[in-house]
Amino acid sequence: MYQQQWNNDHIYPGLDSTELEADMRAARHALEELASYMAGLDGVRGDDAALLDFLREVRLRARDIRHIGWNVAILAACRGSQDARDPQAKQLASRARALNADLFKTLAPVEDLMLALPEEEFAALMRDPLLGEEAYRLRHERRLQDQRLPVAAEQLVIGLGTDGLHAWGNLYNDLVGKIRLTIDGREMGLAEASNLLSSPVRALRLEAFDAISAGWEGEQETVAAILNALNGWRLELARQRGKTRVLDALDLSCHQSHIERATLDALMSETWRARGLGQRALELMAERLGLDDLGPEDLFAPPPASSSRDIPFDEAIELIADAFSRFDPEMGAFARMMAEKGWIDAAPTPNRRTGAYCTKFAEPVEPRVFVTYAGTMDNVITLAHELGHAWHNWVIRDLPMSQRSYPMTLAETASIFAETLVRSALFEQAQSPEEQLAIIWAEADGAATFLVNIPARFDFEQALVAERAQGYVSAERLKALTDEAWGRWYEGSLTRYHPMFWAAKAHFSIAGLGFYNYPYLFGYLFSLGVYQQLMSRKAAGEEGVAEAYRALLRDTGRMSAEDLVAKHLGQDIREAAFWQGSLAQVAQAVERFAQLPA
């Protein structure tokens, strides 16, 4: 039997353990000493050798503090995911955020120096092996050097963000743990209720959908305040930074995603032209379900009951591991190791947060996966998705910390590549039309999600940002913006939309990152391109295909998406042709669904 709850005892035995408290005290003491040491920065300016020694020492001192702050924050977040009401997890998360913020405030003068140095001096420093570990990150940030505020102002932004910007995101997470629903005569939290949206019984799906919507309707004013605060903060900060060059929200998002605006424009333009593929997938699903009124409660419906069954967690791990192993035996062994070591938390808990994610500790470098597993095929694909993230983190675990941080666009490539491996393997192994339908159904669901739902989220958020720039956006207006976005992308493939989606979808309330949507579409289509190329090479008998994929993953934290694709695939993602190639694969999948015997 595989474990279904996290085992983090070797990180810290508990949230109130003496080991954790000792590390936090040590980190605080080391931070005080670092702050004193930083006072010597002005004394080494202009002396190349002295500056190099100074910066190396700062880097070494900061590293251990960063590891402790990171680990404590992840531990608190893990516990908070299992129980969003846990007061100890909230308190510890607050302490970790404060430590990390104080570290970044302390380092702000060095960051300012590194971003403003003349290129020749900067290049000379980057030739040092230790400092050069951050060469790509710093070069990327130097592109926005003109957006930097004075050091004192940057420190103020960091400090205020801890209990300002990020507090709003934390408030949303608190709401997730607070909302209780009664469905089918049982009281439950949002995470358990969300799994009922995959029920084969439509009446139960509808009851769950209506209960979830009503739960968020009761908190609509609070969530509206959260979205207004987050976007208002970002807009004001962008105004303050844009004294010499004004960047809009999408420019900043592309910078965070390590892509060019031309890449995003090409991606969204080609997706708009192909939206009919996602709509067609929904129409085919409705036909199979015998529905002429497909609604938002049906978007996660499984295939007809005769072909659906509960899949135990242990079986899901084996299915995923076997599929991974067909591509890379080490990847399959890794999936089993995750479950054996207690690095996956899947068992339902009373006040569990919604959604699924992968995170990682800094030292030792170990990934963790969070899902709420209820035995559906959708759960299996979600688990494969998160294990794809985990494999990505595992492959790069030996790299410097700055190179283990990669943009969301490239993160989603690894996760969706893993999904594709599992779907393809399961389809090839299918023994009956019902089993084939289950896999093709998942492909069709993916086409609908990525080519319709994700772009609708993107359109909604663009409209939200534009209206927030003019003033407060009410809950009623947020509902209208949601309906308008869904109408543009779903058109007649749904008989009604989901006006409370802006509240129910946690992605809109993430404090640290706006536009937490198009990177999923990017990852979906990019991963299809990667998959097609690698599998073609594998089919041709080429050696080292798994190693080539690992090499691509290892570069995700040290080059832009454009450079990564040019190096590893020899293509240009700023051009429509790249995306058209991936969309052609989606078209084939939808057609395969259409041709499957009823």
Side-chain angles (χ1 to χ4, degrees), residues 408-537:
M408 188 182 164
T409 41
L410 299 179
E412 293 310 322
T413 299
S415 56
I416 298 169
F417 184 88
E419 286 187 35
T420 307
L421 286 176
V422 171
R423 288 196 186 105
S424 298
L426 291 178
F427 185 76
E428 290 177 21
Q429 297 166 18
Q431 300 295 312
S432 67
E434 289 79 13
E435 290 178 347
Q436 288 184 330
L437 174 61
I439 305 310
I440 293 179
W441 189 275
E443 287 185 339
D445 182 62
T449 297
F450 291 112
L451 300 187
V452 183
N453 189 274
I454 296 293
R457 299 181 203 179
F458 177 71
D459 265 17
F460 162 79
E461 192 161 0
Q462 281 188 291
L464 165 60
V465 171
E467 294 208 6
R468 182 64 185 89
Q470 305 305 313
Y472 192 89
V473 187
S474 70
E476 289 305 313
R477 184 59 183 152
L478 289 166
K479 294 176 189 177
L481 292 178
T482 301
D483 272 351
E484 290 168 11
W486 279 50
R488 278 191 295 274
W489 286 90
Y490 280 100
E491 296 180 288
S493 59
L494 291 182
T495 55
R496 63 190 179 98
Y497 304 132
H498 186 352
M500 288 304 299
F501 188 76
W502 58 274
K505 195 63 186 176
H507 290 174
F508 298 124
S509 296
I510 293 175
L513 194 67
F515 290 98
Y516 203 94
N517 36 60
Y518 71 80
Y520 284 96
L521 173 61
F522 181 104
Y524 173 61
L525 296 178
F526 179 34
S527 69
L528 289 178
V530 172
Y531 183 85
Q532 182 183 47
Q533 188 168 124
L534 292 181
M535 288 308 179
S536 296
R537 290 162 59 180

Side-chain angles (χ1 to χ4, degrees), residues 322-342:
D322 287 345
F324 286 1
S325 293
R326 291 167 59 131
F327 175 71
D328 183 347
E330 289 188 30
M331 190 176 178
F334 167 78
R336 291 187 176 94
M337 182 189 74
M338 287 282 295
E340 290 166 354
K341 287 183 172 289

Side-chain angles (χ1 to χ4, degrees), residues 154-169:
E154 290 290 347
Q155 291 172 321
L156 184 62
V157 169
I158 295 169
L160 292 177
T162 303
D163 291 313
L165 176 71
H166 294 284
W168 290 103

Side-chain angles (χ1 to χ4, degrees), residues 108-275:
V110 163
E111 185 80 357
D112 189 71
L113 169 72
M114 298 300 284
L115 298 185
L117 277 175
E119 176 57 30
E120 185 177 343
E121 294 179 43
F122 176 79
L125 287 173
M126 291 302 99
R127 286 193 284 271
D128 176 76
L130 179 63
L131 300 184
E133 292 177 354
E134 288 207 78
Y136 170 70
R137 183 192 73 80
L138 289 169
R139 285 196 180 281
H140 185 69
E141 294 307 320
R142 280 166 67 88
R143 297 177 184 175
L144 296 190
Q145 196 278 331
D146 64 343
Q147 302 293 302
R148 294 281 293 180
L149 299 171
V151 172
E154 290 290 347
Q155 291 172 321
L156 184 62
V157 169
I158 295 169
L160 292 177
T162 303
D163 291 313
L165 176 71
H166 294 284
W168 290 103
N170 296 332
L171 176 58
Y172 183 89
N173 292 334
D174 288 346
L175 291 180
V176 170
K178 168 189 171 185
I179 294 175
R180 305 295 295 175
L181 311 171
T182 300
I183 303 171
D184 196 27
R186 294 189 299 115
E187 183 181 286
M188 62 186 71
L190 282 168
E192 187 176 357
S194 296
N195 267 328
L196 295 179
L197 296 174
S198 298
S199 170
V201 180
R202 194 188 193 202
L204 184 56
R205 292 199 304 272
L206 181 58
E207 185 182 357
F209 176 82
D210 287 344
I212 292 169
S213 295
W216 283 114
E217 186 96 24
E219 301 291 348
Q220 62 178 323
E221 296 302 333
T222 303
V223 183
I226 290 170
L227 295 187
N228 277 275
L230 293 176
N231 287 283
W233 175 289
R234 293 172 188 145
L235 287 164
E236 179 59 27
L237 185 58
R239 278 193 289 269
Q240 294 299 322
R241 293 189 184 284
K243 302 300 184 184
T244 59
R245 178 172 59 119
V246 178
L247 299 180
D248 68 21
L250 279 182
D251 290 328
L252 293 170
S253 176
C254 286
H255 179 79
Q256 288 180 313
S257 293
H258 294 231
I259 62 173
E260 297 178 17
R261 186 68 176 265
T263 296
L264 177 60
D265 291 343
L267 169 68
M268 297 310 303
S269 294
E270 292 309 309
T271 302
W272 173 253
R273 293 189 182 96
R275 69 191 184 281

Side-chain angles (χ1 to χ4, degrees), residues 289-311:
L289 292 168
L291 301 176
D292 56 9
D293 60 340
L294 195 75
E297 69 275 10
D298 301 312
L299 291 177
F300 299 104
S306 61
S307 60
S308 63
R309 67 177 180 87
D310 286 344
I311 303 168

